[in-house]
Amino acid sequence: CHLIHYLRLSHHLIVLNYLIWTFDKLKDVSSEDIKITDAVFDGVEVRVFEPPAKGDESLKRSVVYIHGGGWALASARTSLYNNLCRIMAESLNAVVVSVEYRLVPEARFPEQYHDALRATKHFLQPGVLAEYSVDPSRIAISGDSAGGNLAAAVCQQLSKEEDLTVRPKLQALIYPVLQAFDFNTPSYQQNMDMPVLRRFVMINYWIDYVNGHYDLAHELLINNHTALNVGRALSFRARLNWTSLLPPSFKKSYKPVVQTTGTAAIVEQLPALLDVRAVPLLADDATLARQPRTYVLTCENDVLRDDGAMYAMRLEHAGVPVTLDHFHDCFHGCMIFTVWPTDFSAGVQTRSSYIKWLDENL
């Protein structure tokens, strides 16, 4: 059984890697005026996209962008993300810093988080911002999928550091993965076999990220790791109670999956499953209240839809201005599919809405 499970996951990762490799051979699109340079920020590789000077020498807006890929795939340098960041830099007339954090299996939690945090804090230094002609009051942190997870975690940590002189004005999270507490939210149940990101694949991304073993996949799938007899999980339960955090249109007729008796050893062996740096949705209300104005994009055909929706609702309850931008006909990962032969309308539609929000609020 475990061998079959492993082979299914391996096949999925091989296919995704092939697709990324194939797309990386495609021609970049966007203006040739965008200056692209690779740099190292506090030991972390980044790719910086700079629009041409307009002649007035005014300071520019900026976005720190963290790519997705299950903490294991893709790169700031792949065509898919290169194109997205070039278009963002051009459309917003903004400096875009794309973080090239280390990936599984070379790195496990919390290394990806530390890479993203170090690169971001380095960039936020006044001297570095001046070097790139960036307005320190107009900086956003953003990311998609696992990159949205890292962006949210970094934003939370920055809000706790009292000595920072520059803080992000906004955060923008694209179909983010924000919790590993409940793999039976309505969107996980509804989309368990949805292509691009099936439920078992997302569970295994988590297992790889927190350096667990695939033998745990079934127990995670049925929520044994957060059963009512798991004391360490009890205090977090109210923070992602989807029966109260989701609208009826998301809850539909799905029922919660809560085990009375589970396996407490799982979270003892893998404490990252309850660590807010890995699972930002578990943050306390005081931390959420310190977050900047937030944009969350969710897609109906996505196991992670409810992660984003619950985070948006909790932020709103904490007094943070939030825009939840939900797309009924879109799927996980769609925003980077805007180049032939995968120039999906869903990709263009979500990217346009995301960039429009940044343009209006940054």
Side-chain angles (χ1 to χ4, degrees):
C1 180
H2 295 313
L3 177 60
I4 293 172
H5 192 83
Y6 176 77
L7 290 174
R8 287 172 68 198
L9 177 67
S10 297
H11 176 261
H12 176 86
L13 295 179
I14 289 169
V15 170
L16 281 181
N17 271 315
Y18 174 75
L19 287 173
I20 290 170
W21 178 85
T22 300
F23 293 142
D24 201 36
K25 305 304 176 187
L26 300 175
K27 186 177 186 298
D28 283 344
V29 296
S30 188
S31 167
E32 294 183 0
D33 292 335
I34 300 298
K35 177 185 176 185
I36 301 176
T37 54
D38 292 325
V40 177
F41 285 2
D42 191 17
V44 181
E45 296 180 7
V46 298
R47 175 160 284 193
V48 184
F49 301 76
E50 298 175 80
K54 298 288 187 179
D56 57 4
E57 302 303 322
S58 60
L59 296 179
K60 292 181 172 60
R61 304 182 286 189
S62 184
V63 179
V64 175
Y65 194 85
I66 309 174
H67 72 80
W71 307 284
L73 302 171
S75 163
R77 300 187 179 98
T78 56
S79 172
L80 295 170
Y81 286 105
N82 217 49
N83 287 336
L84 173 62
C85 291
R86 288 178 69 167
I87 290 169
M88 288 168 60
E90 183 179 41
S91 302
L92 298 169
N93 189 34
V95 175
V96 177
V97 175
S98 188
V99 182
E100 183 77 335
Y101 58 92
R102 288 169 295 162
L103 302 173
V104 168
E106 175 197 350
R108 312 281 181 162
F109 175 82
E111 295 310 319
Q112 287 88 337
Y113 162 78
H114 284 316
D115 284 358
L117 180 63
R118 285 202 310 273
T120 302
K121 288 180 68 174
H122 178 88
F123 182 62
L124 292 179
Q125 294 177 100
V128 178
L129 295 177
E131 179 185 340
Y132 289 100
S133 299
V134 167
D135 184 337
S137 68
R138 303 179 76 187
I139 300 169
I141 297 180
S142 185
D144 66 291
S145 194
N149 167 284
L150 296 171
V154 166
C155 220
Q156 288 184 7
Q157 179 58 32
L158 294 177
S159 74
K160 299 174 184 177
E161 300 196 6
E162 297 179 359
D163 58 342
L164 285 182
T165 56
V166 178
R167 298 181 184 278
K169 180 182 181 183
L170 309 171
Q171 67 173 334
L173 312 176
I174 314 302
Y175 31 75
V177 49
L178 298 170
Q179 60 91 23
F181 192 95
D182 184 357
F183 290 106
N184 290 274
T185 61
S187 61
Y188 265 113
Q189 295 187 54
Q190 172 182 298
N191 300 300
M192 65 174 67
D193 293 317
M194 188 64 64
V196 178
L197 189 62
R198 292 177 167 86
R199 177 168 63 171
F200 86 91
V201 172
M202 190 63 245
I203 289 174
N204 280 288
Y205 279 142
W206 271 113
I207 289 173
D208 279 338
Y209 185 39
V210 302
N211 206 18
H213 195 280
Y214 295 140
D215 286 353
L216 296 174
H218 179 69
E219 294 211 65
L220 296 180
L221 186 146
I222 61 174
N223 290 344
N224 264 359
H225 61 304
T226 53
L228 295 178
N229 72 318
V230 180
R232 294 181 63 176
L234 277 177
S235 61
F236 294 108
R237 186 165 295 280
R239 298 183 187 177
L240 41 66
N241 178 10
W242 61 257
T243 62
S244 62
L245 290 171
L246 295 178
S249 60
F250 282 17
K251 289 188 288 189
K252 301 182 175 70
S253 59
Y254 293 104
K255 305 298 182 186
V257 175
V258 181
Q259 305 295 345
T260 303
T261 304
T263 310
I266 296 175
V267 294
E268 292 170 5
Q269 296 167 9
L270 301 174
L273 292 172
L274 298 177
D275 188 322
V276 294
R277 298 172 301 168
V279 284
L281 186 53
L282 295 185
D284 57 37
D285 291 340
T287 298
L288 296 186
R290 292 193 293 265
Q291 299 315 294
R293 180 181 294 272
T294 300
Y295 172 90
V296 181
L297 186 151
T298 56
C299 297
E300 183 66 21
N301 304 308
D302 181 5
V303 292
L304 301 180
R305 178 199 67 188
D306 296 344
D307 284 28
M310 287 191 287
Y311 197 53
M313 184 59 70
R314 286 201 63 209
L315 286 168
E316 190 172 274
H317 288 169
V320 177
V322 179
T323 297
L324 177 60
D325 199 5
H326 182 62
F327 290 83
H328 294 280
D329 300 322
C330 295
F331 56 92
H332 186 82
C334 64
M335 200 175 78
I336 57 174
F337 294 117
T338 58
V339 181
W340 185 90
T342 56
D343 48 341
F344 300 135
S345 61
V348 175
Q349 183 184 3
T350 50
R351 187 185 69 193
S352 297
S353 189
Y354 162 66
I355 290 178
K356 181 174 184 287
W357 185 88
L358 284 174
D359 192 34
E360 293 173 349
N361 291 276
L362 186 55

